[in-house]
Amino acid sequence: MNVPVFSSIQKSEKDGFAMEYGLAGHPDAPVLLLLHAIRNTKMLFAGIIPALAKHYRVVAVDLRGHGQSTETTVFSFEDIVNDLIGLLDAEALDQVTVVAASFSAVPAQMLAVREPKRIARLILLDGGFYQLTEMPGFDLPSVVHRLSATRFPTVEEAERQFAERYGNGNLPKGWMATELEQKDDGDFGYRLSREACTAYFRAYATFDKHGLFQSVSCPVLLLLADSSHLPDDEQRAFYREAVASYKRIVTQAEIHSIPGALHLLMVTHPKETVREIMAFTRN
């Protein structure tokens, strides 16, 4: 890595499982808890952490099964919530804003329901407002196979392909080394196991959507990618209805989108993402 993203790296242990997280910013500043997308790690936010750390205490985790938090064979959203509560206890965090990307937006909302006095706000980055089974064309086995079978000859090539799709997002060279490991065939694949990938996508497809959404009481910002990037009219129609349905249930939610942004909007549009986070937390 060519940039020190975190001031320190810590581990929180609960029920025999250790979750790694990084800290940045001033210890007395308002706290942002950053939760990454599937297959990624805390380094997904590396391009925006320096800007956020000027105003917040940043806590970015490797969710179980990801990065340096892989020593377990049990994977569920409930386990993620328990891990995060253990972290809040370890760091004595009484008030946090959770910034959750993609699949982690579901356990983020579960955490807010479990710990309503500790979760001040939720910022959901293009995820958590629908079930995967509702998405046109979603097929769990084929998605899991595709993600688990992904291979790269080197970490550098993986980063080149990522940047070709999303841009470099101010990410430091070598950041994907936290996501990847060398496999038996010599190529690099994601550390997230097939079992964990299957369990998380199944949870994302079957969680109690209405029960969860109706129970969220804190302020919510649903920050969306640009739906014009979706592949067809059917997917765009699904996306619009899912957003409208979420707003009908979570009436206190603010819905914003970033023009031109792709799903990993903290990478494709880091400045705009930081601006949205700061504006929402200062309201």
Side-chain angles (χ1 to χ4, degrees):
M1 304 295 178
N2 58 4
V3 177
V5 176
F6 299 106
S7 57
S8 68
I9 301 293
Q10 305 292 333
K11 288 205 172 183
S12 170
E13 296 192 21
K14 186 176 177 69
D15 299 328
F17 169 69
M19 182 176 68
E20 184 172 288
Y21 58 96
L23 300 173
H26 195 281
D28 296 327
V31 180
L32 294 180
L33 176 60
L34 307 185
L35 311 181
H36 57 75
I38 196 80
R39 296 192 305 183
N40 301 125
T41 71
K42 55 186 175 295
M43 290 301 294
L44 181 67
F45 294 98
I48 66 173
I49 284 174
L52 293 174
K54 295 176 182 178
H55 307 279
Y56 305 95
R57 181 184 185 189
V58 176
V59 184
V61 311
D62 284 353
L63 297 170
R64 62 169 52 211
H66 299 78
Q68 298 302 312
S69 301
T70 56
E71 297 303 316
T72 183
T73 58
V74 180
F75 308 100
S76 73
F77 285 169
E78 290 78 11
D79 288 306
I80 287 177
V81 172
N82 288 332
D83 297 339
L84 295 174
I85 291 173
L87 183 154
L88 296 178
D89 292 342
E91 290 290 328
L93 300 177
D94 295 327
Q95 279 280 290
V96 305
T97 292
V98 182
V99 181
S102 193
F103 93 110
S104 67
V106 176
Q109 291 173 91
M110 295 169 63
L111 176 64
V113 173
R114 283 268 303 273
E115 295 285 337
K117 294 182 179 179
R118 300 171 90 173
I119 308 306
R121 303 174 190 82
L122 289 171
I123 300 175
L124 311 180
L125 304 182
D126 206 44
F129 57 98
Y130 56 86
Q131 291 176 323
L132 285 181
T133 48
E134 301 170 331
M135 182 181 292
F138 175 76
D139 178 69
L140 178 63
S142 63
V143 171
V144 169
H145 174 74
R146 176 174 57 84
L147 298 183
S148 300
T150 301
R151 293 291 184 272
F152 308 98
T154 63
V155 173
E156 291 76 14
E157 175 60 17
E159 292 181 355
R160 187 197 68 77
Q161 292 185 30
F162 183 93
E164 190 173 69
R165 181 176 182 183
Y166 293 105
N168 66 18
N170 302 321
L171 293 165
K173 182 180 179 181
W175 73 277
M176 283 189 76
T178 65
E179 299 183 1
L180 303 172
E181 63 182 5
Q182 197 162 24
K183 303 296 184 177
D184 292 340
D185 60 8
D187 285 342
F188 288 83
Y190 285 93
R191 294 186 185 187
L192 183 70
S193 68
R194 180 183 291 266
E195 293 75 18
C197 191
T198 300
Y200 287 143
F201 275 124
R202 183 175 290 122
Y204 202 175
T206 60
F207 74 98
D208 179 6
K209 184 180 76 169
H210 290 283
L212 177 60
F213 295 169
Q214 289 172 347
S215 300
V216 173
S217 58
C218 67
V220 178
L221 171 62
L222 177 56
L223 187 58
L224 301 170
D226 190 331
S227 62
S228 67
H229 290 296
L230 293 171
D232 54 48
D233 289 341
E234 185 181 19
Q235 292 239 353
R236 285 188 284 273
F238 156 75
Y239 193 85
R240 287 193 299 271
E241 176 50 34
V243 172
S245 176
Y246 186 81
K247 178 60 177 174
R248 285 193 296 269
I249 301 171
V250 188
T251 57
Q252 77 275 20
E254 295 183 25
I255 314 292
H256 297 177
S257 63
I258 298 179
L262 298 178
H263 181 56
L264 298 180
L265 44 83
M266 78 293 288
V267 179
T268 67
H269 288 70
K271 290 182 180 179
E272 293 85 349
T273 302
V274 169
R275 190 179 305 128
E276 289 279 358
I277 291 171
M278 292 183 62
F280 185 66
T281 57
R282 288 176 174 176
N283 284 342

